[in-house]
Amino acid sequence: MTFVKLSIIIIAYYSLIVKLHRKKIMFKNIDYKVFKHSNYNLVLTLIVETLDKKKIISKDIEIELTKVIYNIFENHNKCVISKIVFEEESILIINFQSTPNIFLSSLISNFKTVSSRRIRKKFHMDEYFWEQKYYLHSNSAF
């Protein structure tokens, strides 16, 4: 397929979307939010584990982590937390909604750094708290 044909297809598709949007057909039953020139519904799930899957998340640490999560996600980044789940004392699952202008890697890095520092300081731990890897999944539907 040549570049010209591909361009024509993209322009036709874009004009169809604009027509549907103007007729209120496309975004009819989905609760989209508006940001500048875009409609979005970014629902994400973040999963992080403790270092070496150690079962160290007690009830006190859960409370402290919940405070940090709400502070970083909602207060500083304008995200909306829908669910926080602690599993097997080593896994944290956060469901949240984000805006398109948030750098997710920076948000997650910030959360892991701040929460690790606070947990280590408050509960007198010597080593890192979180595993370096994480899993981020988009739950958004079109």
Side-chain angles (χ1 to χ4, degrees), residues 4-16:
V4 176
K5 289 181 182 178
L6 185 61
S7 299
I8 292 170
I9 291 171
I10 291 172
I11 292 170
Y13 178 71
Y14 178 73
S15 64
L16 176 66

Side-chain angles (χ1 to χ4, degrees), residues 122-136:
K122 188 168 185 172
F123 296 98
H124 309 291
M125 296 180 179
D126 294 333
E127 57 190 36
Y128 294 106
F129 189 74
W130 297 116
E131 195 68 55
Q132 189 174 9
K133 61 186 176 187
Y134 61 86
Y135 176 75
L136 185 66

Side-chain angles (χ1 to χ4, degrees), residues 4 7 10 23 30-31 40 49 96 101-102 111 115-116 130:
V4 176
S7 299
I10 291 172
K23 291 180 180 179
I30 300 175
D31 185 26
Y40 69 93
E49 295 182 310
F96 65 99
N101 64 335
I102 298 290
F111 160 69
S115 62
S116 181
W130 297 116

